[in-house]
Amino acid sequence: MPQNNNHRYDNPLSNFATYFTPTSVVFTIGLILLTVGLFTQNTLGFWSQLLSTTGSALLASWVSVIYDRDSLVNRLENMFKIKAFSEQGFRRVHEQMDFGSIFRIAKNGDTVYWHDTYCSLRKGYLEDVKNALQEGVKIHILAIDPDCPNATHRSNEMDEGQAWVVGLRDFITAMRNLRNDPSYGHNLELRIYDGLTCVPFYILFDRRKDTPKLGYYSIFLNDHTADCTHFEIVEGKDFSRGRGLLTNFVEYFKKKWDVSRSV
């Protein structure tokens, strides 16, 4: 049986209510005072009214504490969930992805691993790619083979007919032209794959430290992923065979890169 390395996050607030055991004392005293005050109002007069008022106040306080406790527990539980989410490496959500940002962040000694079917050039990141290449950033691009069955499947999902394939071929041509340009080509590699599309992702990798620094990914739906939400991640806690999510993306890319072909 394969080992299950998924981390289970125990809720540290499961026994949180025990913190509020003094409230049971408040409730008991308040109930007693109110009861005594009600049953002695014909004999104790002023003292009976004082007991009733004090008991009512204590019960009201008890109700307030119980309500606030539940609200506090919920707030703390939500904070804990957010912490667990961030510990896995999730940083933020980009409703509109700036595809040039990863190239602007990259420095000499970094590699950008780019995995997609293709990405529309209308997003205007080509100058950022050129600048990164001139800075000594290595860029490895994996685009899907326009003639493979999975490219046809993806085109059919988007219901764009030949327009999608034309965009894919234009992207490959533009990247090939960069690769063939003496000013940039020594740092750019372009390959195509014909397997599963997986998810589009873009990883910034530090070659000097042999570790991933930052990544973005989205999912394939009915629209261009260039127009979809992207998730920004860094390396987090190990959760899959001793690896974080970002490292998993890198290893997936390298394995796919080895069986792809240069164009």
Side-chain angles (χ1 to χ4, degrees):
M1 180 180 295
Q3 183 178 0
N4 183 0
N5 290 309
N6 289 332
H7 284 242
R8 177 178 179 269
Y9 289 97
D10 292 321
N11 186 350
L13 302 172
S14 57
N15 296 320
F16 195 77
T18 58
Y19 178 81
F20 292 97
T21 51
T23 60
S24 61
V25 177
V26 173
F27 172 79
T28 302
I29 294 175
L31 184 61
I32 291 173
L33 293 178
L34 177 62
T35 302
V36 172
L38 291 175
F39 280 95
T40 60
Q41 56 184 337
N42 294 327
T43 57
L44 297 180
F46 167 78
W47 295 108
S48 175
Q49 184 177 0
L50 179 62
L51 291 173
S52 298
T53 302
T54 303
S56 298
L58 289 175
L59 289 177
S61 299
W62 175 81
V63 171
S64 176
V65 168
I66 292 300
Y67 175 79
D68 289 342
R69 181 202 68 181
D70 292 340
S71 300
L72 180 60
V73 169
N74 288 335
R75 288 195 295 270
L76 291 177
E77 284 180 338
N78 288 336
M79 290 173 62
F80 178 75
K81 291 173 184 176
I82 292 172
K83 181 180 179 182
F85 194 71
S86 64
E87 285 177 346
Q88 290 300 324
F90 291 91
R91 292 183 63 181
R92 60 179 61 90
V93 175
H94 296 262
E95 293 184 4
Q96 183 61 59
M97 180 63 185
D98 176 4
F99 288 92
S101 63
I102 194 168
F103 301 107
R104 295 193 296 271
I105 296 171
K107 304 298 181 184
N108 187 295
D110 291 337
T111 298
V112 174
Y113 295 128
W114 180 283
H115 173 278
D116 206 338
T117 50
Y118 83 97
C119 188
S120 173
L121 295 176
R122 62 189 166 86
K123 292 301 172 183
Y125 55 85
L126 200 55
E127 288 303 313
D128 294 312
V129 174
K130 293 178 180 179
N131 292 336
L133 291 170
Q134 288 182 325
E135 286 290 326
V137 176
K138 292 188 179 297
I139 300 176
H140 293 175
I141 293 179
L142 266 178
I144 197 167
D145 183 347
D147 299 316
C148 78
N150 279 332
T152 301
H153 296 326
R154 179 58 180 152
S155 177
N156 291 338
E157 281 181 335
M158 301 184 68
D159 195 25
E160 289 195 351
Q162 286 299 307
W164 186 84
V165 178
V166 169
L168 169 59
R169 294 188 187 279
D170 288 345
F171 174 81
I172 292 174
T173 297
M175 294 301 111
R176 185 190 293 127
N177 290 340
L178 273 182
R179 196 256 330 265
N180 295 336
D181 188 324
S183 300
Y184 314 106
H186 57 287
N187 283 327
L188 174 64
E189 293 187 54
L190 170 66
R191 297 187 183 185
I192 57 175
Y193 66 91
D194 61 4
L196 298 174
T197 50
C198 181
V199 298
F201 60 87
Y202 323 99
I203 308 296
L204 182 60
F205 190 87
D206 188 333
R207 297 195 308 274
R208 293 159 299 190
K209 297 181 180 179
D210 193 32
T211 183
K213 298 164 64 175
L214 179 71
Y216 307 90
Y217 76 95
S218 186
I219 53 177
F220 290 118
L221 296 172
N222 293 329
D223 299 318
H224 285 277
T225 53
D227 299 319
C228 295
T229 296
H230 282 68
F231 304 93
E232 180 178 334
I233 55 174
V234 294
E235 190 69 341
K237 282 189 173 182
D238 295 340
F239 73 98
S240 175
R241 290 186 291 173
R243 298 190 299 266
L245 180 60
L246 198 56
T247 296
N248 271 293
F249 275 129
V250 171
E251 293 190 1
Y252 178 89
F253 182 93
K254 290 181 176 180
K255 184 176 182 179
K256 205 164 187 174
W257 182 263
D258 290 340
V259 296
S260 60
R261 63 185 179 89
S262 182
V263 290

